[in-house]
Amino acid sequence: MAATVDHEADLNKYAPNADKAKVAAIVKYLGIALKNQDSSLVATSDKEELARIRDGYAKKKLGLADDKAIDAAMKKVAERMKGDKNKSRVCFYYLLAEETGALDKLA
């Protein structure tokens, strides 16, 4: 079981003015995935994982359609977070929504 994580504090490193309601929406969306240490993190070097994020979260939750634009946005987020060995899934998802201008899709 994953240790209790303060998602807002983790995100504060990258988006100090992150919308708490949007963070809560991502936590709710991810649900049980956050209970496991491995699934609570994003492996940005794993192409299959990034494809799952693109095809699941980015397309279904955020309503994005352009694979190339999504991939480019994920690359930017990964670069932004490169200093973190363990990349929080909540943080990655928030920054992806922010990067693609889709934060308003999180309710």
Side-chain angles (χ1 to χ4, degrees):
M1 187 170 201
T4 303
V5 176
D6 184 346
H7 302 291
E8 290 176 32
D10 192 42
L11 185 56
N12 195 44
K13 292 184 277 187
Y14 303 101
N17 298 316
D19 184 321
K20 292 179 183 182
K22 306 298 185 192
V23 174
I26 292 170
V27 170
K28 182 178 178 184
Y29 171 78
L30 291 171
I32 199 163
L34 296 178
K35 303 265 186 226
N36 179 296
Q37 176 70 23
D38 186 54
S39 62
S40 71
L41 304 173
V42 173
T44 57
S45 61
D46 183 342
K47 292 181 182 188
E48 289 180 12
E49 172 147 23
L50 293 176
R52 282 191 300 274
I53 293 170
R54 180 192 61 226
D55 297 338
Y57 175 70
K59 288 184 174 180
K60 294 176 182 175
K61 181 70 174 171
L62 300 180
L64 304 174
D66 183 339
D67 284 3
K68 288 183 180 180
I70 297 167
D71 290 344
M74 286 193 298
K75 186 175 181 178
K76 284 183 183 178
V77 171
E79 181 65 24
R80 194 169 166 190
M81 295 181 74
K82 73 179 179 180
D84 279 338
K85 181 180 179 213
N86 295 320
K87 293 167 184 62
S88 158
R89 188 168 298 277
V90 172
C91 187
F92 189 90
Y93 280 27
Y94 185 93
L95 294 175
L96 181 59
E98 182 180 67
E99 181 66 36
T100 58
L103 277 174
D104 62 327
K105 304 277 176 80
L106 302 171

